[in-house]
């Protein structure tokens, strides 16, 4: 294992506390996991990001990336227009993640025309607006391979 510097240990602990509390939102958890991954803060205790996720949190890389992706989608639409409906759960964010980032605000607005934007409504709009853009898009940089 590599030794973390004092400021890295503090950053890691802060991120881990966020994950432990859950902060009642997937957004903060996804952002904390992304920070740990992107800064390689796991390297003080685990040889790879995947090992850290599995041993520390019981999470697969896939599940961690779903949380990261959901947080990134919410951040993307929050930085746009202020009058968009609120994304209130991870299922909504994961459905919205299927749309290209440039179309996410449009999709959310359309899904909310006749009431709250449920995950099912968002998925239906994504399928109509961007049917070929169903590939997953991870907004936070994923610089590691599956073994990192």
């Amino acid at each position: 294992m590599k030794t973390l510097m004092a400021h890295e240990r503090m950053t890691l602990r802060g991120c881990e506390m966020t994950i432990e509390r859950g902060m009642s939102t997937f957004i903060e958890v996804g952002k904390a996991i992304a920070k740990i991954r992107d800064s390689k803060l796991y390297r003080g205790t685990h040889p790879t990001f995947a090992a850290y996720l599995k041993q520390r949190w019981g999470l697969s890389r896939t599940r961690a990336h779903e949380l990261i992706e959901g947080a990134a989608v919410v951040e993307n639409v929050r930085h746009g227009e202020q009058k968009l409906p609120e994304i209130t759960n991870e299922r909504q964010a994961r459905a919205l993640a299927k749309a290209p980032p440039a179309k996410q605000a449009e999709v959310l607005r359309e899904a909310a025309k006749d009431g709250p934007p449920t995950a099912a409504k968002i998925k239906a709009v994504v399928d109509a607006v961007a049917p070929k853009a169903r590939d997953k898009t991870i907004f936070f940089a994923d610089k590691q391979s599956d073994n990192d």
Side-chain angles (χ1 to χ4, degrees), residues 87-147:
I87 295 174
T88 58
N89 65 63
E90 184 186 348
R91 287 194 326 224
Q92 291 169 314
R94 286 174 52 196
L96 191 55
K98 305 288 188 207
K103 293 222 176 235
Q104 289 172 350
E106 174 187 340
V107 167
L108 185 56
R109 191 178 309 102
E110 182 65 28
K113 276 190 174 176
D114 297 321
T118 65
K121 286 181 183 177
I122 292 169
K123 182 186 178 307
V125 175
V126 168
D127 289 344
V129 171
K132 297 189 191 289
R134 297 294 317 265
D135 295 337
K136 286 196 168 229
T137 303
I138 301 293
F139 298 98
F140 295 122
D142 186 5
K143 300 171 187 163
Q144 283 78 25
S145 69
D146 285 329
N147 294 325

Side-chain angles (χ1 to χ4, degrees), residues 47-59:
T48 66
F49 182 59
Y52 169 78
L53 290 169
K54 183 73 170 169
Q55 293 169 5
R56 179 71 170 96
W57 304 110
L59 293 174

Side-chain angles (χ1 to χ4, degrees), residues 30-81:
K31 289 168 68 173
I33 292 171
K35 182 180 273 188
I36 290 168
R37 181 199 60 200
D38 294 347
S39 299
K40 297 186 179 184
L41 298 175
Y42 56 84
R43 72 187 191 284
T45 55
H46 294 82
T48 66
F49 182 59
Y52 169 78
L53 290 169
K54 183 73 170 169
Q55 293 169 5
R56 179 71 170 96
W57 304 110
L59 293 174
S60 67
R61 278 181 57 93
T62 300
R63 179 66 182 130
H65 283 264
E66 289 172 348
L67 291 164
I68 292 167
E69 181 178 61
V73 167
V74 172
E75 289 297 310
N76 180 50
V77 296
R78 279 185 180 169
H79 289 326
E81 300 176 40

